[in-house]
Amino acid sequence: MSIQFFSPRGADGRNMRIPSAYRRSVKWLPQIGDIFPNFAVDTTQGALDLWDWSAGSWTFLFSHPAASTPVCTTELGAISGNKDDFNALGVKALGLTGSTVQEQLDWHKEIEAFFDTEVWFPTAADPEGRLAALFGMRHDEEHKTWPIRKSFILDPQMRT
């Protein structure tokens, strides 16, 4: 049995059919207003418990596939270069990737040298893809463990 939770419409306003190969199911997919689950993870800045770390701040949680990839490098460089804006808005940033902490730390040095900016936010290691799978940040057709690019904005009460 397949359930389609939304019905996309084409330019003519008629329902579009989605190939069954494009449909997928996840154990939990955050919706607006849901409380985001707490988790503990190793990051480039040490062990992190999401709720304790966020503690009353807005949080930008984003995922990317892996360290040392060209697009991911420019994304981290851009976020790093906007530290003052994040601070002014009271927003913390946390990245999630399939790379190990050491791979990320080595990569951050390259980003800092190339973009002349500090990678000021932690990035979390999820090499088995468990968190990425739980949060709907993985696409099995792309990679079985690495996350895709997906972001969540969490309010100070940890709601999406």
Side-chain angles (χ1 to χ4, degrees), residues 42-144:
D42 290 330
T43 76
T44 54
Q45 296 180 4
L48 181 143
D49 175 283
L50 180 67
W51 288 5
D52 288 344
W53 176 79
S54 292
S57 297
W58 285 83
T59 302
F60 172 53
L61 172 62
F62 66 96
S63 60
H64 66 87
S68 301
T69 58
V71 174
C72 297
T73 299
T74 59
E75 291 168 344
L76 260 68
I79 294 168
S80 297
N82 285 293
K83 178 180 181 178
D84 292 341
D85 293 329
F86 277 85
N87 286 340
L89 294 169
V91 176
K92 292 184 173 184
L94 173 61
L96 178 72
T97 183
S99 299
T100 67
V101 168
Q102 190 57 54
E103 289 170 329
Q104 294 179 71
L105 287 170
D106 294 343
W107 179 46
H108 289 187
K109 289 178 189 173
E110 294 175 9
I111 291 171
E112 290 171 352
F114 186 79
F115 289 99
D116 192 29
T117 187
E118 171 193 14
V119 179
W120 51 270
F121 51 90
T123 54
D126 185 27
E128 290 85 30
R130 290 185 183 116
L131 293 173
L134 177 64
F135 305 146
M137 294 173 139
R138 193 180 74 200
H139 190 292
D140 288 337
E141 298 298 321
E142 292 297 319
H143 198 280
K144 296 291 182 189

Side-chain angles (χ1 to χ4, degrees), residues 24-35:
R24 68 183 182 121
S25 63
V26 294
K27 293 179 183 175
W28 177 76
L29 186 60
Q31 296 181 25
I32 293 174
D34 283 352
I35 294 177

